């Protein structure tokens, strides 16, 4: 917990202003129960570095100039151990980098799993990821995005969420009467939690999402390298070999599963960077990612 608090302080930063922030749902939020939870911003000075107690999800929209737009869009899921969300360096600043490249970015403030606000906390974040994909596809023309050019990116526990969206899309966990595809067109996973297996997982993320005594079936279902198929979207992974919080083996196993299933995949393994790449400039570790995106 102390490490996460220090991380959120280090991630505090000011980024590009969004064009719009919208509620993720119109009306009733699925899987919710009456509650009095109040969202808690985590500040460093006057800057909001992240959020806790998120019960009302939003989508923050960052669009490039029309003459620079590529037609691609990325939904960004900040990390934070399913306990909080690091909204600066893993959210708004990432959106700014995408916009510089002509790529629309949509920062998702997803609900954090909690028995006090959800009937089933294990599916709450996934519902929000699916709703974000559905929303961006519905409004693709309005936002200058191609419906078949929408990816999802996640960091740490947000990487678990993004990889869950990329491996569990055949089942809709949200109302979807229009039958809009919930499959992202590509995945970007940055030091992601992939496994819920005790020997490999980030324990805090597992406990917060599944509880302290999950069933074997729950663990297997949310161990996402076990869920990869030939229909899993093309994926880019970035991880540091010296990550002490989320072992790099998480990314390696997901990559191996992708290759086994003939899914196009790329991976950038950084020898030193720890968890969070705090001492690595964003544009430095993102440059290989952009080269991969160009080839898509």
């Amino acid at each position: 917990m102390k490490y996460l608090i220090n991380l959120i302080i280090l991630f505090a930063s000011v980024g590009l202003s969004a064009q719009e922030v919208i509620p993720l749902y119109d009306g009733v939020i699925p899987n919710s129960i009456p509650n009095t939870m109040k969202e808690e911003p985590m500040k460093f000075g006057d800057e909001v570095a992240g959020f806790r107690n998120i019960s009302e999800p939003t989508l923050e929209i960052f669009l490039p100039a029309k003459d620079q737009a590529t037609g691609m869009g990325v939904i960004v899921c900040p990390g934070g151990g399913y306990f909080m969300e690091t909204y600066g360096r893993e959210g708004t600043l990432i959106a700014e980098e995408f916009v510089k490249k002509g790529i629309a970015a949509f920062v998702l403030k997803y609900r954090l799993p909690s028995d006090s606000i959800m009937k089933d906390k294990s599916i709450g974040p996934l519902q929000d990821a699916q709703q974000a994909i559905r929303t961006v596809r519905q409004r693709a023309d309005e936002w200058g995005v191609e419906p078949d050019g929408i990816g999802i990116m996640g960091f740490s526990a947000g990487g678990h969420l993004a990889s869950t969206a990329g491996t569990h899309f055949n089942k809709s966990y949200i109302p979807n009467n229009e039958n809009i595809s919930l499959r992202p067109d590509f995945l970007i996973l940055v030091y992601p939690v992939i496994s819920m297996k005790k020997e490999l997982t980030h324990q805090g993320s597992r406990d917060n999402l599944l509880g302290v005594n999950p069933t074997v079936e729950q663990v297997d279902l949310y161990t996402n390298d076990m869920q990869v198929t030939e229909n899993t979207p093309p994926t880019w992974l970035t991880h540091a070999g010296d990550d002490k919080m989320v072992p790099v083996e998480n990314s390696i196993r997901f990559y191996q599963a992708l290759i086994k299933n003939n899914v196009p995949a790329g991976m950038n393994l950084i020898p030193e960077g720890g968890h969070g790449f705090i001492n690595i400039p964003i544009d430095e570790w993102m440059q290989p990612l952009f080269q991969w995106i160009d080839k898509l």
Side-chain angles (χ1 to χ4, degrees):
M1 186 71 69
K2 183 178 179 182
Y3 182 91
L4 283 172
I5 298 297
N6 291 337
L7 193 63
I8 194 75
I9 291 173
L10 285 167
F11 279 0
S13 45
V14 176
L16 184 74
S17 297
Q19 279 87 342
E20 188 178 11
V21 181
I22 62 172
L24 191 60
Y25 299 95
D26 294 326
V28 177
I29 299 173
N31 187 35
S32 63
I33 58 177
N35 67 86
T36 58
M37 181 178 285
K38 292 185 179 180
E39 185 174 297
E40 179 184 349
M42 305 183 73
K43 291 188 176 182
F44 182 66
D46 294 329
E47 299 174 12
V48 175
F51 298 93
R52 291 179 57 188
N53 299 332
I54 299 169
S55 60
E56 297 183 2
T58 62
L59 200 61
E60 192 164 0
I61 301 156
F62 298 79
L63 303 178
K66 290 185 177 180
D67 61 348
Q68 298 176 348
T70 63
M72 298 185 74
V74 179
I75 296 161
V76 182
C77 305
Y82 284 129
F83 163 75
M84 60 185 176
E85 292 173 28
T86 53
Y87 210 73
R89 192 175 173 89
E90 294 179 348
T92 54
L93 285 187
I94 300 302
E96 183 175 359
E97 293 301 313
F98 278 115
V99 167
K100 289 178 184 177
K101 299 293 185 179
I103 300 170
F106 307 87
V107 182
L108 174 62
K109 186 196 290 182
Y110 52 92
R111 285 173 292 168
L112 292 167
S114 170
D115 292 324
S116 66
I117 66 170
M118 299 173 185
K119 299 173 186 176
D120 180 355
K121 70 177 182 178
S122 71
I123 66 171
L126 176 56
Q127 288 177 306
D128 294 349
Q130 288 191 339
Q131 178 68 11
I133 294 167
R134 176 177 176 268
T135 299
V136 175
R137 281 219 167 95
Q138 274 186 317
R139 300 178 65 173
D141 286 345
E142 175 185 349
W143 291 330
V145 176
E146 296 294 334
D148 60 355
I150 299 166
I152 189 166
M153 177 183 198
F155 296 79
S156 195
H160 183 265
L161 176 55
S163 66
T164 305
T167 53
H168 293 68
F169 53 81
N170 284 328
K171 179 178 179 180
S172 177
Y173 290 86
I174 57 171
N176 186 21
N177 296 331
E178 308 93 335
N179 200 30
I180 294 171
S181 173
L182 301 177
R183 178 187 181 273
D185 293 301
F186 57 92
L187 305 180
I188 302 169
L189 308 177
V190 186
Y191 40 86
V193 178
I194 294 294
S195 179
M196 291 284 114
K197 303 284 188 180
K198 269 191 172 295
E199 67 273 14
L200 199 58
T201 192
H202 174 252
Q203 192 64 43
S205 297
R206 170 177 146 144
D207 290 350
N208 289 327
L209 184 67
L210 302 181
V212 295
N213 293 303
T215 65
V216 172
E217 291 76 16
Q218 283 179 307
V219 170
D220 288 350
L221 180 64
Y222 289 102
T223 295
N224 289 330
D225 57 290
M226 296 176 63
Q227 308 305 323
V228 171
T229 72
E230 62 183 9
N231 293 320
T232 300
T235 302
W236 176 264
L237 299 113
T238 302
H239 215 128
D242 65 348
D243 193 327
K244 303 302 182 184
M245 180 171 283
V246 178
V248 68
E249 184 72 14
N250 280 268
S251 284
I252 291 172
R253 288 195 185 182
F254 198 79
Y255 178 81
Q256 289 175 329
L258 293 166
I259 298 304
K260 181 179 179 180
N261 284 276
N262 298 311
V263 176
M267 182 164 57
N268 181 23
L269 293 182
I270 301 170
E272 297 180 356
H275 192 74
F277 299 165
I278 295 169
N279 295 316
I280 304 176
I282 292 175
D283 58 352
E284 182 176 316
W285 66 258
M286 287 190 76
Q287 188 57 41
L289 160 62
F290 287 126
Q291 292 172 353
W292 179 78
I293 287 178
D294 286 344
K295 295 177 182 178
L296 287 178

